[in-house]
């Protein structure tokens, strides 16, 4: 009976999606579901959710466990899914926005790159290190599925901390955007063939085409470009369509994310640009507040005995588990060490590429060279990721300053002295959430 452990299971809404997918899949039915969180109230809610999903699907052989003991939760696990948010919405996420804003730096999401992404990584990596040590000792053969942002930074850290652990980083941006573009063109995603490659949140569709009934293929990039020419770009997607115009390829992550990965779009004194491109500053703060409200609503519904709806999402975890257990192959997009998969990116970085999955686990597919302008944009992020990981693992304070200094958006808005001061303030404000640096 395979054991699936969810670390950070108090992220109830996401846990509901993952468990709904896993337990309603073809291989669902005989699992041990082990839930761990440091928040007993949220953990209890997630335990009830898991039990209700089993009831809704008439799965009487699934055993659901919930514990505040991480090692106990991990013991003997075959699959480990990370979904925690270290520091929570308050104080950590609020700090990621409030402190930079006082220094004149505005952000949209602040969880992947930028000063917010850097500090989210710095406070998450020590926790990842402790989890990895537990995995090495109590479930060394488990497949670790890493959903926690900043994705590339965290996966890079795991690679350095525990290279023997089988790990893949998972995000939904590729499959979400592929379906979104099909909707924009009035096409059925089932008829679309695509190839994406890059780094998490800065990956691009190298191919996006329609498979016709006669077996021929239509390149859909001309029709995507025509949306701009005809003024039919969705209002929330103006940044990405501008990137398509500049770089010739469509990026997989949303406009609000990508707008803060370069120096191009969020600029002091250019509110006209913010309005023109419909860039939602402070967007992640609003999303967190909505998610917290959803959790309270879900808890009230559960306490009131409301039946739970089991809906399938397009997250990859269930497909990976099914493929690994059954041997029936699956194709996913995963974040893995490069090691030559993308020839013109550093071998040591984390790339997001198609991966084959079966009994043998995650098997990345080599891409080769990607267009040079795309690789150049990715390398802007890779340098920040590398320095952040080094800062976290060596406790060197200068590496934090340097990561922030090299971040495209941060360095476009602030001077070196301003960046140093902001980093100092961020470290002070984080307090015990961060280790001591030298």
């Amino acid at each position: 009976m395979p054991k699936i452990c969810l670390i950070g299971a108090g992220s109830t809404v996401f846990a509901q999606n993952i468990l709904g997918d896993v337990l309603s899949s073809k291989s669902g039915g005989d699992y041990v579901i082990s839930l761990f969180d440091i928040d007993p109230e949220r953990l209890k809610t997630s335990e009830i959710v898991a039990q209700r999903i089993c009831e809704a699907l008439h799965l009487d052989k699934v055993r659901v466990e919930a514990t505040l003991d991480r090692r106990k939760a991990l013991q003997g696990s075959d699959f480990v899914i990370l979904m925690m948010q270290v520091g929570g919405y308050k104080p950590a996420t609020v700090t990621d926005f409030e402190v930079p804003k006082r220094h004149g730096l505005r952000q949209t999401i602040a969880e992947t790159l930028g000063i917010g992404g850097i500090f989210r990584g710095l406070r998450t990596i020590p926790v990842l290190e402790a989890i990895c040590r537990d995995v090495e000792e109590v479930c060394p053969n488990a497949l670790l599925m890493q959903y926690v942002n900043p994705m590339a930074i965290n996966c890079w850290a795991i690679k350095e901390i525990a290279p023997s652990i089988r790990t893949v980083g998972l995000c939904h941006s590729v499959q979400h955007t592929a379906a979104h573009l099909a909707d924009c063109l009035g096409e059925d995603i089932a008829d679309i063939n695509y190839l994406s490659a890059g780094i998490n949140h800065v990956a691009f569709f190298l191919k996006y085409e329609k498979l016709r009934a006669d077996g021929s293929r239509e390149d859909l990039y001309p029709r995507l470009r025509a949306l701009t020419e005809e003024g039919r770009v969705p209002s929330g997607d103006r940044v990405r369509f501008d990137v398509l115009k500049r770089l010739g390829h469509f990026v997989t992550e949303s406009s609000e994310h990508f707008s803060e990965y370069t120096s191009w779009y969020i600029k002091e004194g250019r509110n006209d640009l913010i309005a023109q491109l419909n860039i939602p500053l402070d967007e992640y703060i609003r999303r967190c507040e909505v998610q917290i409200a959803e959790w309270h609503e879900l808890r009230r519904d559960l306490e009131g005995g409301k039946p739970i709806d089991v809906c399938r999402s397009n997250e990859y975890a269930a497909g990976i588990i099914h493929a690994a257990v059954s041997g029936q192959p699956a194709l996913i997009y995963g974040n893995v060490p490069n090691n030559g998969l993308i020839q013109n990116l550093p071998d040591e970085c984390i790339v997001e590429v198609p991966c084959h999955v079966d009994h043998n686990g995650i098997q990345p597919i080599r891409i080769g060279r990607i267009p040079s302008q795309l690789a150049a944009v990715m390398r802007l992020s890779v340098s920040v990721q590398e320095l952040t990981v080094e800062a976290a693992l060596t406790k060197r304070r200068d590496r934090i300053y340097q990561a922030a200094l090299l971040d495209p958006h941060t360095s476009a808005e602030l001077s070196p002295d301003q960046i140093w001061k902001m980093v100092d303030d961020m470290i002070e404000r984080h307090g015990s959430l961060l280790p001591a640096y030298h």
Side-chain angles (χ1 to χ4, degrees):
M1 184 179 288
K3 180 176 179 180
I4 304 169
C5 176
L6 276 60
I7 302 294
S11 301
T12 306
V13 175
F14 189 69
Q16 179 180 350
N17 290 339
I18 296 296
L19 291 174
D21 291 346
V22 170
L23 296 175
S24 62
S25 72
K26 295 177 182 178
S27 57
D30 296 330
Y31 286 120
V32 176
I33 304 296
S34 183
L35 309 176
F36 165 78
D37 203 273
I38 62 172
D39 184 326
E41 186 178 17
R42 279 183 165 269
L43 180 62
K44 183 62 180 177
T45 299
S46 293
E47 182 182 14
I48 295 171
V49 165
Q51 291 167 343
R52 292 282 180 86
I53 290 172
C54 292
E55 292 169 5
L57 297 174
H58 309 291
L59 300 175
D60 55 4
K61 295 182 181 180
V62 174
R63 188 165 84 241
V64 177
E65 306 171 344
T67 178
L68 297 169
D69 183 333
R70 188 175 65 213
R71 286 177 67 89
K72 180 180 178 181
L74 287 167
Q75 183 73 47
S77 292
D78 300 286
F79 303 96
V80 177
I81 304 176
L82 304 184
M83 56 180 65
M84 67 280 184
Q85 183 178 355
V86 177
Y89 172 57
K90 292 182 179 179
T93 297
V94 171
T95 297
D96 289 343
F97 279 87
E98 285 186 349
V99 172
K101 191 182 293 185
R102 287 206 307 266
H103 288 268
L105 187 65
R106 299 175 297 172
Q107 302 170 99
T108 53
I109 305 296
E111 66 169 5
T112 301
L113 206 67
I115 196 68
I118 290 168
F119 274 85
R120 181 178 283 248
L122 291 173
R123 63 179 179 261
T124 302
I125 290 172
V127 177
L128 289 174
E129 184 167 11
I131 292 170
C132 286
R133 298 305 175 219
D134 286 347
V135 168
E136 288 176 319
E137 293 178 17
V138 303
C139 55
N141 297 318
L143 176 59
L144 181 68
M145 289 177 268
Q146 205 290 113
Y147 272 102
V148 182
N149 279 321
M151 175 61 64
I153 288 172
N154 290 342
C155 289
W156 195 326
I158 291 172
K159 171 178 73 77
E160 300 296 329
I161 293 165
S164 65
I165 295 178
R166 299 188 303 148
T167 307
V168 63
L170 300 174
C171 178
H172 52 230
S173 60
V174 174
Q175 63 268 40
H176 273 201
T177 298
H180 169 65
L181 291 180
D183 288 341
C184 289
L185 298 174
E187 298 289 351
D188 187 338
I189 186 60
D191 298 328
I192 302 299
N193 179 59
Y194 60 85
L195 174 65
S196 172
I199 62 173
N200 181 243
H201 287 191
V202 193
F204 291 82
F205 288 106
L206 305 180
K207 179 191 301 181
Y208 194 82
E209 58 189 18
K210 179 179 179 178
L211 303 177
R212 295 196 179 102
D214 63 3
S216 63
R217 302 182 180 212
E218 176 192 358
D219 179 8
L220 293 178
Y221 261 119
R223 288 175 58 188
L224 288 174
R225 295 187 184 96
L227 294 179
T228 299
E229 297 165 4
E230 298 164 3
R232 295 192 293 120
V233 171
S235 62
D237 236 352
R238 294 172 187 168
V239 168
R240 288 201 290 185
F241 274 88
D242 188 71
V243 172
L244 170 61
K245 175 182 176 181
R246 314 297 176 181
L247 299 180
H249 292 266
F250 204 89
V251 69
T252 57
E253 191 43 80
S254 67
S255 285
E256 58 267 26
H257 278 85
F258 191 83
S259 63
E260 62 182 8
Y261 299 158
T262 72
S263 58
W264 310 335
Y265 297 114
I266 304 174
K267 294 179 176 292
E268 182 65 30
R270 289 300 308 276
N271 289 336
D272 60 317
L273 193 60
I274 301 295
Q276 174 191 335
L277 295 173
N278 195 24
I279 297 173
L281 298 172
D282 298 325
E283 172 66 14
Y284 192 65
I285 291 289
R286 291 187 290 272
R287 289 186 190 180
C288 287
E289 291 171 350
V290 168
Q291 290 166 357
I292 291 168
E294 288 176 347
W295 180 81
H296 285 292
E297 181 179 359
L298 175 62
R299 184 184 174 199
R300 287 194 298 269
D301 289 344
L302 291 171
E303 290 175 348
K306 182 179 178 180
I308 196 166
D309 294 325
V310 181
C311 303
R312 296 297 300 271
S313 77
N314 62 358
E315 301 291 350
Y316 286 130
I320 291 171
I321 293 171
H322 177 66
V325 170
S326 70
Q328 297 178 20
L331 184 72
I332 66 154
Y333 277 80
N335 291 269
V336 295
N338 186 19
N339 294 331
L341 295 171
I342 297 180
Q343 188 177 341
N344 47 341
L345 287 181
D347 279 347
E348 62 271 19
C349 78
I350 299 295
V351 294
E352 188 171 72
V353 295
C355 301
H356 180 86
V357 190
D358 59 17
H359 276 319
N360 296 311
I362 309 295
Q363 301 148 71
I365 297 171
R366 186 178 185 275
I367 299 296
R369 291 187 67 84
I370 60 175
S372 57
Q373 76 277 18
L374 305 184
V377 173
M378 295 169 197
R379 284 193 290 265
L380 298 174
S381 296
V382 169
S383 296
V384 179
Q385 295 162 3
E386 181 178 28
L387 288 166
T388 302
V389 172
E390 188 174 341
L393 298 183
T394 65
K395 308 299 186 294
R396 287 183 58 172
R397 193 182 185 106
D398 62 336
R399 290 294 184 260
I400 307 175
Y401 295 131
Q402 291 156 359
L405 185 67
L406 288 174
D407 176 68
H409 174 48
T410 303
S411 60
E413 295 292 286
L414 303 181
S415 71
D417 283 343
Q418 289 174 310
I419 291 172
W420 255 242
K421 176 60 176 170
M422 178 176 64
V423 168
D424 288 340
D425 287 353
M426 287 286 282
I427 292 173
E428 181 180 358
R429 179 78 173 268
H430 268 77
S432 62
L433 284 174
L434 295 178
Y437 299 102
H438 57 82

